[in-house]
Amino acid sequence: MRVLFINKILDRDSVGRMPLGCLYLSSSLKQSGHEVKLVDACDYGRVKRCIKKYHPEALLFSTRTGFHHYYRALNKRLKDEFGNLYSVFGGPHATFSPEIINEDGIDAICRGEGEGALADFLHKKEKEEDYRKTENFWVKEDGEIYRNGVRPLIDAIDAVLFPDRDLLKEYKSVRHFRIRNFIASRGCPYSCSYCFNEPYFSIYENKGRRLRRRGVDNVLEEIEEERRKSPFDIVQFEDDIFGSSTDWLIEFQQQYPQRVGLPFICNMRPELITAETAALLKAAGCISVWVGIESKNEEIRKKILNRNITDRQIDAAVGHLARHEINYVFEIMIGLPASTIHNDLESLEFCMKWKPAYVDSSIYQPYPGTALSAMALGTREWDGDYEKIGDFHETTCLALTSKKEIENLQALFYCIVRYSFLKKCMFVLIKLPLKNMYRFIHVLLKGLVFSTKITPMKINRYYFPYVYRTLFRRGTQKLGTLHTSLSQKTTPEKACNPAVPTDRRIGRGLLI
């Protein structure tokens, strides 16, 4: 069967990242005998031309909550124009909001880990077998919806085929970008109240381990194979938590410098960054670590975010990284339920104290199914309308008294950390209607610090499209009036009683 992935790969939100979920699924589908193609969802004209030339038998969409409006509108437009196209939605939003199957134009959804399930579904459909009973799928046919449970998680993930990065060969600025992303594990053992992991594993109760690691040799083999195909400068590990096992990290440190030897970046929790792990990271070649602080206020971390991390642990972690001269990037969340802007300013003060290389500040979004969204609903700071969830780097959908100030603070956050003199006029700046200007300045600074310090890379002909996308490209740009016109014509359906969580991290192994 000919299938077409439609995914945003050339907008600002996807800069420097390959869509690993789609690429893993492509490998699985090709092994099963299906033909697979991918087209950038940002350019409607290109999508149309691809459909006319390729004649796909199924369209596959990746969806995250807050971005699902875009794909829904795109799918509706394609259905109106081309008629009988079969659409499958997957990814975090479909996984945790399966009731989107009720929406016009969506024929099926894939929940959870897609390898195997999607190949089985397409095989049955192609052979005219009963695909409606395929595990992981909800299917709509003749007005009836067939709801199936999920199959067990893949336990031996070393057996999973490497992602099909050559699927991106038409997009050279992505395929040959000098930073290459990999994933060494799936899942997370923690239950942060804002994150998808807890509800994700409630779907998979008794059907697999919460954390599954690949063997070091398997990870390095993939990196080596990819270097032979397309050279790059920096490895980015996208695991929710990299190196959570000290034994695994020791083995990695022993082999990575000899077999790969490239600088790498990763994500870690503060309490896992000890003197030993920081030394291992440095010896292996780590140059930058993303550290989830979320809030400086210890009570908020424990009681609201369910992150039992002490101030002492955070200070110790940052100290270990600093002593080993590893850049640290803080992840901070502002606009939280049951908190105030003064709590957000505490986090700002903390960042100004430690002067991280960068601060990834985001605005809280109440992803359904998460414990924190239930709290926001209970405190009446949120009305339960998932259609209002948007970009966590731009807006809040909570009914906050300081909404404008928080949105401006997000755009100014790193600027103030980097240039502390701005603190003197901060309370004036966050009240001004200048958010777009603040964001543009923020993106300029972010591009500067990433390209020179956090992920320094060689400049080649693919670097300039990266700069352009970072500064200017938004996902709806080349769709013209598509998204706007559909939003005006269509009354947003309230998200149907789902259990969704997509936090700032992408759901690993989902159809994304």
Side-chain angles (χ1 to χ4, degrees):
M1 178 176 282
R2 290 185 307 279
V3 299
L4 177 65
F5 282 102
I6 302 179
N7 193 276
K8 289 185 182 182
I9 57 176
L10 293 179
D11 72 330
R12 193 167 71 198
D13 296 316
S14 59
V15 166
R17 282 197 173 105
M18 293 184 178
L20 287 181
C22 294
L23 306 187
Y24 270 112
L25 291 174
S26 177
S27 293
S28 173
L29 294 177
K30 286 182 177 179
Q31 185 186 47
S32 300
H34 300 287
E35 296 179 41
V36 186
K37 193 172 181 61
L38 180 145
V39 66
D40 175 36
C42 297
D43 186 339
Y44 184 67
R46 188 167 192 164
V47 175
K48 283 175 54 179
R49 291 191 297 273
C50 182
I51 290 175
K52 289 178 180 178
K53 182 177 180 180
Y54 183 60
H55 301 293
E57 297 165 88
L59 306 181
L60 308 179
F61 294 92
S62 166
T63 52
R64 285 189 287 155
T65 305
F67 298 85
H68 62 287
H69 324 84
Y70 181 87
Y71 289 104
R72 182 176 60 199
L74 176 57
N75 179 57
K76 186 176 187 304
R77 177 69 177 273
L78 291 172
K79 290 256 186 173
D80 289 344
E81 185 157 348
F82 289 95
N84 191 28
L85 291 172
Y86 196 87
S87 298
V88 180
F89 275 59
H93 189 67
T95 294
F96 302 111
S97 292
E99 298 301 330
I100 65 168
I101 189 70
N102 291 313
E103 297 179 10
D104 290 341
I106 299 178
D107 299 299
I109 62 156
C110 178
R111 304 184 72 200
E113 208 161 51
E115 295 107 335
L118 182 59
D120 287 351
F121 178 81
L122 294 176
H123 174 79
K124 291 176 182 177
K125 195 171 190 312
E126 184 179 35
K127 299 299 182 183
E128 298 184 351
E129 299 174 4
D130 190 2
Y131 55 85
R132 298 169 300 180
K133 300 296 179 66
T134 307
E135 287 180 312
N136 292 61
F137 273 82
W138 287 24
V139 181
K140 182 169 59 184
E141 190 170 289
D142 298 326
E144 186 173 353
I145 295 175
Y146 299 83
R147 298 171 174 85
N148 301 292
V150 295
R151 63 187 63 198
L153 291 166
I154 301 170
D155 190 62
I157 58 173
D158 278 3
V160 174
L161 297 174
F162 296 156
D164 177 23
R165 291 180 171 85
D166 288 335
L167 192 66
L168 297 165
K169 62 185 178 182
E170 293 183 20
Y171 301 93
K172 294 182 179 180
S173 65
V174 180
R175 180 66 186 93
H176 301 296
F177 189 59
R178 304 304 294 185
I179 303 172
R180 209 64 47 88
N181 52 331
F182 299 84
I183 185 164
S185 64
R186 295 187 183 186
C188 175
Y190 298 97
S191 300
C192 301
S193 63
Y194 54 85
C195 182
F196 70 87
N197 275 301
E198 187 64 27
Y200 184 69
F201 286 101
S202 69
I203 295 174
Y204 279 99
E205 187 174 6
N206 300 320
K207 290 192 174 184
R209 296 176 293 147
R210 288 191 63 141
L211 178 62
R212 295 159 292 155
R213 297 187 189 90
R214 298 170 61 185
V216 170
D217 186 68
N218 183 256
V219 174
L220 300 186
E221 184 182 340
E222 180 189 347
I223 298 173
E224 290 171 329
E225 179 180 296
E226 176 61 9
R227 284 187 81 183
R228 289 191 291 269
K229 290 182 177 180
S230 172
F232 50 95
D233 301 328
I234 295 173
V235 171
Q236 178 177 5
F237 288 108
E238 291 201 344
D239 308 47
D240 288 342
I241 302 173
F242 181 77
S244 56
S245 164
T246 303
D247 290 341
W248 189 96
L249 196 56
I250 290 172
E251 184 181 351
F252 177 83
Q253 183 273 324
Q254 291 170 344
Q255 296 191 46
Y256 182 87
Q258 288 73 38
R259 294 179 58 177
V260 178
L262 292 176
F264 69 90
I265 60 179
C266 62
N267 309 305
M268 292 194 73
R269 276 177 66 107
E271 71 270 39
L272 299 180
I273 303 174
T274 63
E276 180 183 14
T277 56
L280 289 169
L281 288 170
K282 181 66 176 180
C286 181
I287 56 172
S288 300
V289 172
W290 269 247
V291 184
I293 307 295
E294 313 308 352
S295 174
K296 170 59 178 74
N297 189 294
E298 190 169 328
E299 186 174 359
I300 288 176
R301 288 199 305 271
K302 291 183 176 179
K303 293 184 177 180
I304 297 180
L305 303 180
N306 196 31
R307 289 175 65 85
N308 294 311
I309 303 170
T310 66
D311 289 343
R312 181 175 295 182
Q313 287 174 316
I314 291 175
D315 289 343
V318 177
H320 293 317
L321 294 174
R323 278 189 288 277
H324 287 283
E325 298 182 336
I326 298 174
N327 297 314
Y328 45 91
V329 175
F330 288 168
E331 291 183 305
I332 297 291
M333 203 181 305
I334 64 176
L336 291 164
S339 70
T340 68
I341 194 169
H342 297 291
N343 299 128
D344 299 331
L345 295 177
E346 285 181 337
S347 297
L348 179 67
E349 290 279 359
F350 172 78
C351 293
M352 293 178 71
K353 167 190 169 184
W354 280 105
K355 291 289 184 184
Y358 178 69
V359 181
D360 184 5
S361 58
S362 62
I363 304 173
Y364 169 71
Q365 304 292 329
Y367 295 121
T370 58
L372 197 51
S373 70
M375 175 187 289
L377 199 59
T379 59
R380 298 186 177 181
E381 294 172 281
W382 176 52
D383 63 5
D385 188 351
Y386 303 120
E387 293 299 314
K388 295 178 181 176
I389 294 176
D391 188 334
F392 46 69
H393 283 141
E394 292 189 5
T395 187
T396 176
C397 62
L398 300 190
L400 304 177
T401 55
S402 52
K403 183 177 187 294
K404 181 176 75 174
E405 289 83 356
I406 284 174
E407 291 177 353
N408 279 338
L409 178 62
Q410 188 282 325
L412 284 166
F413 206 100
Y414 177 61
C415 300
I416 298 171
V417 171
R418 186 179 175 96
Y419 303 111
S420 56
F421 67 86
L422 291 173
K423 185 184 174 186
K424 295 178 182 178
C425 53
M426 174 182 65
F427 289 102
V428 174
L429 293 174
I430 63 176
K431 292 180 182 297
L432 298 175
L434 299 173
K435 183 174 72 171
N436 289 338
M437 184 183 78
Y438 297 156
R439 285 194 56 76
F440 186 76
I441 295 171
H442 171 95
V443 170
L444 283 174
L445 283 176
K446 179 179 179 180
L448 174 66
V449 73
F450 269 71
S451 60
T452 60
K453 188 172 185 179
I454 297 173
T455 54
M457 54 185 170
K458 299 174 184 176
I459 295 178
N460 63 8
R461 59 190 171 128
Y462 302 116
Y463 177 79
F464 298 102
Y466 159 77
V467 172
Y468 168 75
R469 288 161 57 201
T470 301
L471 292 178
F472 304 111
R473 187 70 183 267
R474 297 302 294 170
T476 56
Q477 189 171 20
K478 285 200 173 183
L479 286 172
T481 59
L482 165 68
H483 190 253
T484 303
S485 62
L486 282 176
S487 298
Q488 291 171 345
K489 292 176 183 176
T490 308
T491 302
E493 304 83 8
K494 292 226 177 191
C496 342
N497 211 3
V500 150
T502 39
D503 77 326
R504 297 181 296 169
R505 303 174 185 86
I506 295 174
R508 313 305 182 187
L510 305 180
L511 175 52
I512 58 177

